[in-house]
Amino acid sequence: MTDNKKLSERDICTKFITPAVIRAGWDLFTQIREEVSFTKGRIIVRGKLHTRGELKRADYILYYKSNIPLAVIEAKDNSHGVGSGMQQALNYAETLAVPFVFSSNGNGFLFHDRTGLADQTERELRLDEFPSPAELWQRYCHWKGIATEQALKTVEMPYYDDGSGRAPRYYQANAINNTIEAVAREQQRILLVMATGTGKTYTAFQIIWRLWKSGTKKRILFLADRNILVDQTKNNDFKPFGAAMTKISKRQIDKSYEIYLSLYQAVTGSEEDQNIYKQFSPDFFDLIVIDECHRGSASEDSAWRVILDYFSSATHIGLTATPKETKDVSSINYFGEPVYSYTLKQGIEDGFLAPYKVVRIDIDKDLQGWRPSKGQADKNGLLIEDRIYNQIDMDRTLVLEKRTELVARKITEYLAATDPYAKTIVFCDDIDHAERMRQALVNLNPERVKESRKYVMRITGDEIEGKAELDNFINPEERYPVIATTSKLMTTGVDAQTCKLVVLDQHIKSMTEFKQMIGRGTRINEDYDKYWFTIMDFKKATELFADEAFDGPPIVIYEPKSDEPPVPPDELPAPLSPFEKGGSEGGLGSEGGLGDGDDEPGTGRVKYVLGDVTVYVVSERVQYYGPEGKLITESLKDYTRTTVRRDYSSLDQFLLRWSKADRKAAILNELEEHGLLLEPLADEVGKNFDAFDLICHVAFDQPPLTRRERADQVKKRNYFTKYGDQARKVLETLLEKYADTGIQNIEDIKILTLDPFKNMGTASELVSAFGGKPAYMAALHELEEHLYA
C-alpha cells in the first residue's frame, strides 16, 4: 500500500483528486482545467528595470460551460490537513466570482458553499461524495435567480471563439457573465465599470454576441460619442457581426440590419427634424449599449438621455471607466449600482495594467501668484485686470510665454534622457494653449522636426490635419507623431498602447477627468517594451492620488529641483503601499469638469499674453506616498530592509533559510516577487558584493564581503585537494565564475556547456569526473557551504 504522506502535491492531484472529480461526472476535456494562471503578476519597477510579481494560479477550476466557472479546488500534499488550502481557495474564488470552493489533501474534500443557501457553509466530503456538474449548476442558477427556461437559454450561450485561443480574461468573464445574468433576470438598466485599458469594447462585444446569438436581444444599438470610437469598434472587436452590422451615418436609416453602431450626435440634434432616431419605432431596439456612459448619458438634460427615453422599453447597458457622481449627474441614479467593477488598482495589482511614476514640477508663478503693476498692459495692448493670478489662471486667463517654454523644455529634457521617440500626450487647457505648446516643442526639437515635421502634432477637435494623425499616433508601428498636444479630444477612447509619457498642464476639475487622462498610459504592450509609464504633472493634479475616490497609487513621486533633470534617478524609485485615505491640499477634488469638447479659440474668454515674465521651477524634495497616504521620503535601502524583514524577522532566520536552500536563486526569486530588485540595489551599495552580502548588509547591518573576498577565503582553505585533477579544475573555475558574476549563475548545471568549461570536455564528461550528477551537485553544495561559512 502506498504511503500517501510521501506523495507530492501533483501526485495527490493525479491519483486522488482528478479521478474523484471525473467519477462525479465532470468532463476532463471540457469542464476540468488544472493549474490555471488567471493573473499576470504585478509589474514592479525600480529605476529603468522592471520585473513581475507572483501570479495567481488555481490548482483546478471547474466549468459548467467553457464560459461559466463554477468551482475552485486547492490541492495540498497529504502531510497537510484536508482544509489547509481553503483560505487560499476562497481568495481565488472571490476573485473569480465562483460560489463553490473545495480544498483537498487526497483523503477527501472540505466543501465551502459561498451562496448562503446551504444549511451548512462548510462540510467535509468523502472522495466519492464530490458533487456532479448538474448538482452545482442547479444550485448556481437558484443562487443567481436564473432558473427559468428562457434565462438558461440566455446564460448558456457560449462566447464568440475565433479559433485563435483568445478567451476573455477572468475579470472580463466576470463582467460578461454578471451582465448576461442581469439581462436574464430581466433587469432593464445595467452599469458596468471597467478601468481604461481593460478591454471594455471586447467585453461589450462578447455580451452583445451572446445576447444576439441566443435570440434574447434581436436588434441592438451601440452608442459612442467619438467617431473614432465607432470606427475602431466596427473594424476591430465587432468585426465578427459582419453583414448583420451597420454604422448609422449621413442621417440615413436602413431597418434591415440587426446591429447598429452610431455616434450619438449622428442620430440626435437640436432641431426636431434632425432627430432621425424617431424614424425607428420606440420598440425597434431590444438593447442599447452606451460606451463611455459617464460623458452625459445619465444626465436628464443630455442628448443621450433623449435617445434612451425614446427607446425606454429596451434594455440599457452603460459602460464606463469612471462613473460620474455629482449632485447634477449620476450614472448610478440612472443605471443602478454596477453589476461589476474592475478598478485601476486591481488592474495594476493583477499585472494587466501598467503602473506609473510621477514627476511633480511646481512653477513659482503657479504657487506664489503674479500680480500686474498698476496700469500694466499685455503684449497686445490689453489693460490687465489688477488682481493676483495663480495656477488656476495660467493659460486660461493669463498666458506667460516663458512658462509654456519652461514646460516644453522639461518635456524635451525628459524625452532626451529616456527615449526621444516615446509616445507622449500633453494635456493643455484649450486649443490655443495646445497650439502654443506645439510651437514651443517644435522650436526645442529642431533635429527631430527636421527628420519629420510630424514629430510634434496638435491633435484637437478643430483641425483636420491633426485629427488625421490620431490613428498614426496610436498605432505602435508608426513612429510619428511622437508628441501630441491636445486639450479634450484625447481624454477618452484613445487606445494609445505605447504612450509612455502623460503630461498634465491642464487645470483638472474632476476626478472623472483625471482618471480618464491617466488612463491614456495604462495599457501594456510587451512587444514594444511598454510596461510602465510616467506622469509629468505641472498643475498639482496628482494630489488627487491622495483622494479616497482614487484607487491606484503611483510607484514614486519625484519632485526635481530647478537644476535637476526631470528624470527620476535610478536609485530613488521604491514601491508604494496602497494608501488608505488622504486629503487633497489643492482643493482639486470638486466635480464638474470643463465640458467634453475642446475650447474653441475666441469663445469670449479674455486672455492676457505676456512674453517678458520670468518663471522658474521651485525647489522641492523627492517624495513617495506612504501607507497612510502621507508624503514621505524613502530610499531603496529602506525599502529593502523593510521587505527582507517582513519575510525574515532576524539575521539568524535568514541565515538558516539560506544555508538550507538547495538553490539560493529560489530565495532571491521570492524576494524579487516582493519587489526587491538586486541590480539597482547593487548600483547603490556596491556592484561587487554578493546578493547574500547585499541583503545581510542592508537588512541586518552586517559588514559585507565582495565576491572576490569570499572566493579568496575558499581558496585559502585548500579543500579542493581531495578531488581528482579534472573535478578540481571544474570547482576552481566555478569559484572564478562566482567571483565574476555571482551565485545564481553557478547553480545552473547548464554552465558546464559554456566557456571556459566546454574547452575542458563535454558537460557529461565533467559531471562524470565527480562520479555522476548527484556527486557533482553534492560538490557544488559543499562549495556554497565554504563560500558562506
Side-chain angles (χ1 to χ4, degrees):
M1 186 174 167
T2 310
D3 182 359
N4 290 356
K5 294 279 189 281
K6 292 181 179 175
L7 295 176
S8 68
E9 185 181 296
R10 260 298 94 201
D11 290 335
I12 293 293
C13 291
T14 306
K15 297 176 187 294
F16 297 100
I17 298 174
T18 304
V21 174
I22 291 171
R23 280 196 302 272
W26 296 84
D27 187 286
L28 180 62
F29 299 103
T30 62
Q31 293 181 308
I32 303 170
R33 286 183 64 202
E34 294 189 56
E35 296 191 295
V36 187
S37 298
F38 55 92
T39 69
K40 290 199 78 172
R42 181 186 179 125
I43 293 170
I44 299 156
V45 182
R46 298 286 172 279
K48 296 186 182 82
L49 302 174
H50 70 271
T51 186
R52 279 199 183 266
E54 199 171 1
L55 44 75
K56 287 187 177 179
R57 180 185 284 120
D59 289 329
Y60 292 83
I61 301 178
L62 306 184
Y63 296 80
Y64 180 66
K65 293 283 178 80
S66 62
N67 52 315
I68 307 171
L70 284 185
V72 170
I73 307 174
E74 187 59 32
K76 295 292 178 191
D77 64 40
N78 204 246
S79 63
H80 291 80
V82 71
S84 290
M86 181 52 76
Q87 292 193 146
Q88 189 179 347
L90 285 168
N91 180 338
Y92 294 167
E94 201 169 67
T95 303
L96 296 166
V98 164
F100 307 116
V101 193
F102 298 85
S103 171
S104 178
N105 62 355
N107 291 348
F109 295 96
L110 182 65
F111 174 31
H112 183 111
D113 188 328
R114 297 179 63 232
T115 65
L117 303 174
D119 296 335
Q120 197 176 349
T121 303
E122 279 191 8
R123 60 193 176 94
E124 286 198 25
L125 305 174
R126 298 191 309 271
L127 287 175
D128 61 2
E129 289 181 308
F130 195 85
S132 68
E135 183 186 338
L136 291 189
W137 179 236
Q138 189 178 8
R139 286 198 204 188
Y140 181 91
C141 294
H142 182 47
W143 174 53
K144 289 280 192 175
I146 51 170
T148 66
E149 189 178 336
Q150 179 55 46
L152 290 174
K153 184 184 173 190
T154 302
V155 170
E156 291 184 14
M157 178 56 57
Y159 295 119
Y160 171 77
D161 183 356
D162 63 2
S164 69
R166 181 187 184 187
R169 293 169 172 169
Y170 87 83
Y171 63 85
Q172 292 170 336
N174 289 351
I176 296 161
N177 288 339
N178 285 13
T179 305
I180 298 288
E181 288 161 2
V183 172
R185 289 192 299 271
E186 300 184 353
Q187 187 174 322
Q188 285 293 88
R189 305 289 176 261
I190 298 164
L191 181 64
L192 202 50
V193 177
M194 293 173 69
T196 301
T198 55
K200 283 198 300 295
T201 313
Y202 174 70
T203 302
F205 161 71
Q206 290 288 9
I207 290 166
I208 295 169
W209 178 270
R210 285 174 62 186
L211 293 174
W212 179 59
K213 277 290 183 183
S214 67
T216 307
K217 302 293 177 186
K218 296 181 175 64
R219 286 193 291 228
I220 296 151
L221 174 63
F222 180 87
L223 284 172
D225 76 326
R226 299 275 169 87
N227 223 347
I228 187 170
L229 300 185
V230 177
D231 292 338
Q232 276 178 1
T233 302
K234 183 172 185 282
N235 298 331
N236 298 325
D237 287 318
F238 279 37
K239 203 172 183 179
F241 288 126
M245 171 176 60
T246 187
K247 176 186 173 184
I248 298 174
S249 57
K250 298 178 183 172
R251 305 200 168 276
Q252 293 174 346
I253 296 297
D254 182 339
K255 298 179 184 175
S256 64
Y257 292 92
E258 294 173 71
I259 312 288
Y260 293 79
L261 280 70
S262 178
L263 192 66
Y264 83 88
Q265 295 93 330
V267 293
T268 188
S270 55
E271 299 299 324
E272 188 62 29
D273 62 353
Q274 286 182 303
N275 293 330
I276 59 162
Y277 63 86
K278 291 188 176 176
Q279 292 178 39
F280 295 109
S281 62
D283 61 355
F284 183 84
F285 291 110
D286 306 308
L287 173 67
I288 300 177
V289 178
I290 308 100
D291 193 24
E292 306 290 0
C293 71
H294 66 278
R295 295 178 70 86
S297 67
S299 172
E300 289 187 20
D301 59 356
S302 86
W304 295 24
R305 184 61 179 267
V306 175
I307 303 172
L308 299 187
D309 287 344
Y310 183 76
F311 297 114
S312 59
S313 63
T315 301
H316 299 165
I317 300 174
L319 305 172
T320 181
T322 48
K324 188 175 278 191
E325 297 305 316
T326 72
K327 62 183 187 336
D328 302 313
V329 178
S330 171
S331 304
I332 287 172
N333 193 37
Y334 182 79
F335 290 102
E337 290 290 333
V339 294
Y340 186 70
S341 292
Y342 189 70
T343 64
L344 176 68
K345 183 178 176 182
Q346 286 171 291
I348 291 172
E349 197 60 44
D350 288 342
F352 294 120
L353 293 180
Y356 45 91
K357 299 179 180 183
V358 175
V359 177
R360 265 280 301 275
I361 299 176
D362 291 334
I363 296 170
D364 65 323
K365 298 298 184 289
D366 291 19
L367 302 191
Q368 297 158 12
W370 176 84
R371 185 175 181 177
S373 56
K374 189 175 180 182
Q376 185 175 353
D378 77 346
K379 67 186 292 184
N380 299 317
L382 272 175
L383 184 66
I384 304 170
E385 182 190 347
D386 183 19
R387 66 177 178 85
I388 294 172
Y389 295 83
N390 59 24
Q391 192 162 49
I392 293 170
D393 299 299
M394 295 301 164
D395 295 297
R396 295 187 67 72
T397 310
L398 183 71
V399 174
L400 301 180
E401 291 179 339
K402 288 188 185 296
R403 185 190 179 285
T404 308
E405 288 167 20
L406 174 61
V407 171
R409 189 167 72 250
K410 288 294 175 187
I411 295 167
T412 301
E413 286 172 8
Y414 181 88
L415 292 174
T418 54
D419 173 8
Y421 297 99
K423 298 275 184 170
T424 300
I425 302 176
V426 187
F427 285 106
C428 303
D429 259 312
D430 55 25
I431 287 172
D432 169 59
H433 184 198
E435 173 56 25
R436 286 186 292 102
M437 187 62 69
R438 183 196 69 79
Q439 292 172 22
L441 285 161
V442 165
N443 288 331
L444 285 165
N445 291 275
E447 292 303 312
R448 306 287 175 210
V449 174
K450 193 175 171 185
E451 289 169 18
S452 170
R453 67 177 180 84
K454 295 180 180 179
Y455 182 76
V456 188
M457 294 290 289
R458 169 167 63 90
I459 301 179
T460 47
D462 70 316
E463 202 224 22
I464 295 167
E465 174 78 13
K467 276 205 292 190
E469 290 299 322
L470 186 52
D471 281 349
N472 289 331
F473 180 80
I474 64 181
N475 182 352
E477 293 179 10
E478 292 289 342
R479 172 168 273 196
Y480 303 107
V482 173
I483 305 172
T485 68
T486 189
S487 56
K488 296 291 189 297
L489 183 67
M490 297 173 74
T491 52
T492 62
V494 176
D495 189 6
Q497 296 174 21
T498 53
C499 177
K500 291 184 179 179
L501 180 62
V502 174
V503 180
L504 303 178
D505 197 27
Q506 182 183 116
H507 180 61
I508 299 168
K509 285 187 177 177
S510 78
M511 181 64 78
T512 298
E513 198 168 33
F514 178 60
K515 283 187 178 182
Q516 290 290 344
M517 289 178 180
I518 299 308
R520 296 314 102 212
T522 54
R523 286 168 175 80
I524 293 167
N525 189 317
E526 297 186 6
D527 294 339
Y528 290 86
D529 198 35
K530 160 69 188 300
Y531 292 91
W532 52 275
F533 69 107
T534 301
I535 300 164
M536 186 176 279
D537 176 21
F538 292 93
K539 292 278 189 172
K540 294 178 80 173
T542 47
E543 286 181 356
L544 287 171
F545 288 136
D547 192 302
E548 61 184 6
F550 195 79
D551 60 13
I555 301 164
V556 56
I557 291 190
Y558 167 58
E559 301 193 12
K561 296 174 184 172
S562 55
D563 59 345
E564 289 180 337
V567 183
D570 287 351
E571 68 269 16
L572 288 172
L576 295 128
S577 309
F579 49 82
E580 289 153 20
K581 194 171 181 180
S584 172
E585 299 163 19
L588 291 165
S590 61
E591 284 285 355
L594 299 171
D596 290 330
D598 293 302
D599 256 335
E600 297 295 334
T603 48
R605 185 157 20 94
V606 175
K607 277 192 181 182
Y608 305 114
V609 182
L610 290 149
D612 56 356
V613 177
T614 57
V615 296
Y616 60 88
V617 172
V618 177
S619 294
E620 292 285 345
R621 66 187 186 280
V622 178
Q623 295 177 315
Y624 305 80
Y625 272 117
E628 279 119 33
K630 293 175 183 171
L631 290 169
I632 56 170
T633 301
E634 183 180 53
S635 72
L636 189 53
K637 288 182 187 176
D638 292 335
Y639 178 69
T640 301
R641 179 188 292 261
T642 307
T643 304
V644 173
R645 289 192 167 190
R646 199 179 299 135
D647 289 347
Y648 305 99
S649 58
S650 67
L651 175 64
D652 286 344
Q653 198 180 13
F654 176 71
L655 293 176
L656 184 66
R657 175 77 204 284
W658 186 267
S659 64
K660 284 190 168 181
D662 287 339
R663 292 182 71 245
K664 314 304 181 197
I667 297 175
L668 302 178
N669 288 343
E670 278 175 21
L671 289 169
E672 267 200 10
E673 284 174 354
H674 293 166
L676 189 144
L677 291 189
L678 290 165
E679 200 172 322
L681 185 65
D683 288 342
E684 189 172 322
V685 179
K687 285 182 180 276
N688 298 320
F689 294 126
D690 185 90
F692 171 83
D693 285 279
L694 281 174
I695 292 165
C696 290
H697 172 61
V698 173
F700 302 109
D701 302 314
Q702 296 301 302
L705 293 177
T706 64
R707 292 191 299 272
R708 174 56 61 195
E709 285 170 336
R710 286 195 176 276
D712 288 346
Q713 282 185 355
V714 174
K715 283 179 186 173
K716 285 175 191 168
R717 295 190 188 116
N718 205 21
Y719 84 95
F720 292 154
T721 50
K722 65 182 181 180
Y723 292 99
D725 286 348
Q726 191 170 30
R728 187 167 67 250
K729 198 174 176 188
V730 168
L731 288 171
E732 286 168 350
T733 310
L734 282 171
L735 194 59
E736 281 303 306
K737 275 284 181 191
Y738 162 81
D740 288 340
T741 63
I743 193 70
Q744 292 103 309
N745 291 329
I746 72 166
E747 286 192 320
D748 190 340
I749 199 167
K750 288 178 186 167
I751 196 171
L752 299 180
T753 63
L754 306 174
D755 284 333
F757 296 98
K758 66 181 184 184
N759 299 325
M760 303 178 195
T762 65
S764 58
E765 285 170 352
L766 298 182
V767 168
S768 298
F770 290 86
K773 187 177 176 182
Y776 168 77
M777 296 307 293
L780 180 64
H781 287 148
E782 188 183 16
L783 174 62
E784 288 182 344
E785 283 171 16
H786 281 280
L787 274 170
Y788 299 112

